[in-house]
Amino acid sequence: MQFYSTNNPSYKVNFEQAVFKSLPPDNGLFYPQILPRLDPDWIKNLNHLSKTEIGLMIASKFIGDEIPMPRLAQIVSETIDFDIPLVKITDHISSLELYHGPTWAFKDVGARFLSRCMAYFIEQSNREVTILVATSGDTGGAVAAGFYNLPGIRVKILYPKGKVSDIQQRQLTTWGGNVSAYEVAGTFDDCQYLVKQAFLDQELSQELNLSSANSINIARLIPQSFYYFYAMQQVDSNDQVFCVPSGNYGNLTAGLWAWAMGLPIKKFIAATNQNKVVPDYLTTGIYASKPSIQTYANAMDVGSPSNFVRMLELFKYHHSDMTKRLSGYYVGDDAILSTIKDCYEQFGYLLDPHGAIGYAALSTLLAPGEHGIFLETAHPVKFLDVVNQALGGAVDFQEKSKPLADKKETYQSIGIDFVEFKQVLKG
Ligand SMILES: *Cc1c(COP(=O)(O)O)cnc(C)c1O
């Protein structure tokens, strides 16, 4: 399969190039030349297929023979090497728990797939690469876990000092081996700036063979479509509405792709926090990116969502086609807290702040006869402060967080000056 740039359809690359470039040089996004259609009989038969069989079918449609089948099967099976259960909360609403991977958030899925695809290509060519990422929390941990111990790959992660949660920080700093963490005396934007400068610096970029693992990489999106199929395996009617708590809209794009590939999903809800540019677009037809606002669901504090262009591409820029399939909803901070509390008290189910947005959206928008599935994108332990605030400290997470709390942290503290950073990277 070839992937073209959304800014220039005649610029095309193969899967391997799309993976290592991450972004086309014209700042568009890579988009598959055609979204594969899956055989309707195969889809009817989903219940009889294993998670690996499903993932392999989808992945092979995108990747073709660039990775041999047996190896791709291994990559898929390692990617989803943990439970992805659909848990019923009420008669009408279920939670698709995507947080049973190593760093307790859905980003593990994309990071594991991307890292293993890269490792395959690197093996074939005998080169070494350095993955450089800036993280505001979940991405860095998933990338570190995904790439940990893979041969030929070094990982360098920048995070803003004091601005990630304790658990998130530990998921960045306790690996060792091929993973190095850098605590930056600045904001997430400063971290992103340093990373961007590094990529722009020809000398550095070539010397270290820099590569990115950011969330717009095509190899992170593809496996995120798998779990919509896994959810549909676990339900018996086709009246399913998927509600996707969204920041950069990668998860939602992957879900829309699953539908476009033939999975019979009735509708989608784009649910978010006060950073509501996409819900606003869906109601008004006007898209206006904005500076991001800080909220309790901070993994979705995005004012200019990068995958929105891919959503437009899918619906060929027709607003009315998009709104036939997709509606928007946003939830303020107070409602995040009250939703976590109400859901826990009424049903004994503990939501994280992002999942709470998904649950709240379904509670309001679901029509009679429909069943709603929201993506529970992270384990509540990752957002302990918010959950404690909502519940008045009613839940004890010691058992889950203890093993991590006992590990030794290693990181290097750096400033926000690029020249200095360059020296650090060159070692
Ligand atoms: C990254 C993240 C999101 C947002 O996902 P997108 O694909 O960027 O929309 C939501 N919840 C959690 C916990 C995340 O880490």
Side-chain angles (χ1 to χ4, degrees):
M1 162 101 59
Q2 293 212 297
F3 299 85
Y4 63 88
S5 166
T6 52
N7 278 352
N8 174 11
S10 61
Y11 180 85
K12 288 176 201 158
V13 298
N14 67 11
F15 177 70
E16 176 178 0
Q17 290 164 322
V19 165
F20 283 95
K21 285 181 191 295
S22 235
L23 274 176
D26 59 16
N27 258 323
L29 294 186
F30 285 120
Y31 199 88
Q33 188 72 51
I34 27 165
L35 276 175
R37 286 293 294 186
L38 297 164
D39 179 352
D41 288 331
W42 182 84
I43 287 178
K44 279 204 194 92
N45 198 34
L46 273 187
N47 288 358
H48 303 287
L49 302 173
S50 70
K51 272 158 66 198
T52 301
E53 284 170 321
I54 293 175
L56 181 59
M57 173 61 85
I58 298 165
S60 65
K61 296 274 186 192
F62 285 97
I63 298 171
D65 57 8
E66 284 186 64
I67 300 178
M69 274 295 207
R71 181 62 180 264
L72 191 55
Q74 187 195 340
I75 292 173
V76 168
S77 96
E78 288 176 15
T79 297
I80 40 120
D81 186 16
F82 44 84
D83 286 342
I84 304 187
L86 187 68
V87 177
K88 213 173 166 66
I89 301 181
T90 73
D91 282 347
H92 305 290
I93 300 180
S94 301
S95 165
L96 184 63
E97 293 182 351
L98 301 176
Y99 59 65
H100 297 279
T103 67
W104 312 335
F106 81 87
K107 290 190 175 71
D108 281 327
V109 175
R112 287 165 85 78
F113 189 79
L114 167 63
S115 56
R116 282 158 179 78
C117 290
M118 275 189 173
Y120 168 76
F121 292 124
I122 286 168
E123 254 169 64
Q124 298 307 300
S125 64
N126 254 323
R127 63 198 141 143
E128 296 214 331
V129 299
T130 301
I131 304 291
L132 186 61
V133 268
T135 185
S136 59
D138 285 344
T139 295
V143 167
F147 284 89
Y148 179 60
N149 260 346
L150 292 183
I153 305 180
R154 279 182 303 261
V155 184
K156 299 184 182 293
I157 300 172
L158 281 68
Y159 64 94
K161 178 178 180 172
K163 297 202 171 60
V164 300
S165 78
D166 181 50
I167 283 178
Q168 284 174 331
Q169 175 160 333
R170 288 175 173 278
Q171 287 179 339
L172 300 170
T173 57
T174 56
W175 295 97
N178 63 334
V179 177
S180 319
Y182 298 91
E183 175 194 76
V184 178
T187 61
F188 172 57
D189 288 339
D190 294 322
C191 299
Q192 273 192 311
Y193 167 81
L194 289 176
V195 168
K196 205 162 196 175
Q197 290 305 110
F199 278 99
L200 290 174
D201 188 311
Q202 291 284 334
E203 179 204 338
L204 190 65
S205 172
Q206 275 167 19
E207 192 177 315
L208 299 181
N209 207 356
L210 286 183
S211 208
S212 148
N214 61 21
S215 65
I216 40 109
N217 197 297
I218 198 82
R220 287 183 52 171
L221 273 185
I222 292 168
Q224 285 173 214
S225 65
F226 300 171
Y227 38 74
Y228 291 86
F229 290 80
Y230 302 157
M232 290 298 277
Q233 277 188 303
Q234 301 175 59
V235 294
D236 36 43
S237 99
N238 271 351
D239 282 332
Q240 305 297 326
V241 178
F242 275 86
C243 181
V244 187
S246 296
N248 267 320
Y249 288 81
N251 243 343
L252 179 60
T253 301
L256 291 167
W257 283 5
W259 162 74
M261 286 186 260
L263 189 66
I265 294 171
K266 188 175 174 190
K267 275 193 311 204
F268 290 88
I269 299 170
T272 190
N273 54 32
Q274 284 169 84
N275 297 283
K276 58 187 181 61
V277 295
V278 173
D280 283 348
Y281 168 78
L282 291 165
T283 18
T284 63
I286 296 162
Y287 179 76
S289 64
K290 302 220 167 75
S292 68
I293 303 167
Q294 203 178 342
T295 76
Y296 288 151
N298 65 16
M300 314 195 316
D301 292 348
V302 182
S304 177
S306 38
N307 282 293
F308 182 64
V309 169
R310 287 190 170 124
M311 294 165 58
L312 290 172
E313 196 75 17
L314 175 63
F315 291 101
K316 308 240 166 7
Y317 293 78
H318 292 311
H319 178 257
S320 62
D321 288 347
M322 192 189 286
T323 54
K324 264 181 222 140
R325 196 56 53 184
L326 177 65
S327 32
Y329 193 77
Y330 76 96
V331 175
D333 270 352
D334 290 346
I336 292 176
L337 295 183
S338 62
T339 303
I340 293 174
K341 183 167 192 285
D342 292 350
C343 183
Y344 186 66
E345 287 176 354
Q346 283 186 47
F347 307 109
Y349 189 85
L350 189 57
L351 296 159
D352 97 293
H354 309 82
I357 288 178
Y359 177 84
L362 283 175
S363 305
T364 310
L365 295 187
L366 219 49
E370 289 175 344
H371 180 258
I373 297 171
F374 70 90
L375 271 48
E376 182 40 297
T377 49
H379 191 283
V381 72
K382 291 196 92 169
F383 301 93
L384 210 53
D385 294 350
V386 182
V387 172
N388 276 335
Q389 193 181 333
L391 301 179
V395 179
D396 182 2
F397 290 105
Q398 282 286 326
E399 199 186 326
K400 183 141 180 102
S401 56
K402 179 95 174 39
L404 202 54
D406 288 345
K407 283 194 191 162
K408 182 174 153 25
E409 287 192 83
T410 314
Y411 55 85
Q412 191 172 346
S413 299
I414 60 171
I416 58 172
D417 179 57
F418 177 66
V419 178
E420 231 169 78
F421 176 57
K422 185 171 169 178
Q423 289 316 313
V424 171
L425 280 186
K426 291 173 77 164

